[in-house]
Amino acid sequence: MDWLQIVVLSLIQGLTEFLPVSSSAHLILVPIFSDWPDQGLAFDVALHIGSLGAVVIYFRAELSRMTASWARSVAGKGSDEDAKLAWWVILATVPVGIAGLLFQDVIEQYARSPLILAFGLIAFGLLLGVVDWRCRGSRTEYHMTWRDALWIGLSQALALIPGTSRSGITMTAALMLGLSREGSARFSFLLSIPVIVLAGGLEAINLVQQGVDVHWGDLALGTLLSGISAYLCIHFFLAFIKRVGMQPFVIYRVLLGIGLVWLFA
C-alpha cells in the first residue's frame, strides 16, 4: 500500500465510524472509485483498533466507573446508574451479535452492491431526519431502562444492512425513545466498544487462520491515523449536534445515495 491509500482509508474509517453516515459504505466505495488494490483484512483490523482506542480513551472516566460499578453489581453489592448503564450496553449488544452470526454469509454476498448501499443511505437517512425533527427528548443515557436498551440493540442489528450506519440507526432509535441528541450519541459511542471488539476479534481470527503476511509499518500508521481522527470526530460531533442537529448528515446521506443510483442503476 502506498502512503496516500493508507492516509485516505484511515481518515475515512476514523471520521465515519462514529458519524451517522455509514463507515462501511465509504470504505466499500473507495476501491470502486479508485484503482487501489484491496487493503486486506489485516489493515481493516488495524483501522478498527484505532477507532476502538479512540472511543475508549475519550470515555475512559465513564468506562472506569461503569466497570467498577458493574463488578460490584455482579458481586451482589448493589447497583447504581453506572452499573445499570454497563448492563444496558451488554444487553444492547446481544441482538447484533446473534444477527451477525446468523446472516454473515448473506451480508458478505450482497454487502458491496452500490444500489443496496444507496437504499440503506437514503432510507435510514430519511428516518433519522424525521426522528431528529420530531422526537427529540431530554433524557440522558443514564436515564435509560432495560426496554430502551433492548430496542436500541434490536435496531443496531439493522446496521448489518449495508449503508444503514450502526451509529445512525442506534441514534435514531434512542431519539425515538426520548433521549436527547447528546444522550443518544453518547450511548451509541459506548455501544460501539463491544461491537468493534467482536467484529475486530472475528477478523483477527480469520487473519490468523489465513496466515497473511503483515506489513507492520502500514498497520501502525493506519491505527494511529484512524485513532486520532476518530477521537477528534467524537469530540466535535457531540458539540455539533447540540447546536445544529442531525440534518446535515441526513442531507449528505440522501445526496450520496442518489448519486450512487444515478451512477449504477
Side-chain angles (χ1 to χ4, degrees):
M1 294 175 62
D2 61 49
W3 68 269
L4 181 59
Q5 183 180 7
I6 294 173
V7 171
V8 170
L9 291 175
S10 301
L11 293 180
I12 288 176
Q13 166 66 23
L15 294 174
T16 61
E17 176 67 35
F18 301 110
L19 295 180
V21 296
S22 181
S23 61
S24 60
H26 286 76
L27 290 175
I28 290 170
L29 291 174
V30 167
I32 291 178
F33 291 107
S34 70
D35 58 357
W36 288 330
D38 186 270
Q39 63 269 19
L41 186 58
F43 194 72
D44 287 344
V45 172
L47 296 185
H48 282 92
I49 291 174
S51 298
L52 176 63
V55 71
V56 168
I57 293 172
Y58 191 90
F59 289 101
R60 59 191 180 278
E62 292 89 338
L63 290 171
S64 178
R65 294 196 306 269
M66 289 166 61
T67 301
S69 295
W70 179 82
R72 287 194 296 270
S73 73
V74 171
K77 297 181 180 179
S79 179
D80 58 15
E81 62 180 9
D82 286 306
K84 290 180 180 178
L85 183 57
W87 281 114
W88 301 161
V89 169
I90 294 171
L91 175 61
T93 304
V94 173
V96 72
I98 295 174
L101 292 174
L102 291 176
F103 301 109
Q104 182 179 6
D105 293 339
V106 176
I107 295 165
E108 291 177 352
Q109 182 178 356
Y110 296 104
R112 295 187 176 273
S113 167
L115 293 180
I116 293 180
L117 290 177
F119 166 79
L121 287 165
I122 295 172
F124 291 104
L126 291 174
L127 178 62
L128 172 62
V130 171
V131 171
D132 181 59
W133 177 45
R134 301 187 61 181
C135 300
R136 290 194 306 275
S138 58
R139 292 195 296 151
T140 71
E141 66 273 24
Y142 286 101
H143 297 131
M144 292 173 54
T145 67
W146 71 267
R147 292 181 179 85
D148 295 329
L150 182 58
W151 278 113
I152 294 172
L154 291 171
S155 74
Q156 185 174 225
L158 294 174
L160 296 173
I161 300 173
T164 301
S165 170
R166 188 209 60 82
S167 59
I169 195 63
T170 52
M171 291 180 203
T172 300
L175 288 168
M176 195 177 297
L177 292 166
L179 271 69
S180 67
R181 286 169 173 163
E182 304 96 290
S184 301
R186 290 175 67 86
F187 186 70
S188 175
F189 295 156
L190 290 172
L191 194 54
S192 72
I193 295 173
V195 172
I196 294 175
V197 169
L198 290 173
L202 288 175
E203 290 180 345
I205 291 172
N206 291 332
L207 183 64
V208 172
Q209 291 176 341
Q210 294 173 13
V212 178
D213 291 332
V214 175
H215 300 280
W216 293 106
D218 293 352
L219 301 191
L221 180 57
T223 301
L224 179 63
L225 292 177
S226 174
I228 293 173
S229 57
Y231 186 94
L232 293 174
C233 175
I234 294 171
H235 176 75
F236 288 108
F237 177 74
L238 288 171
F240 181 85
I241 60 172
K242 186 175 182 179
R243 298 194 315 270
V244 180
M246 304 287 187
Q247 302 307 319
F249 304 103
V250 174
I251 294 171
Y252 172 77
R253 288 177 62 122
V254 172
L255 291 177
L256 179 58
I258 292 173
L260 291 177
V261 172
W262 180 69
L263 289 172
F264 295 100

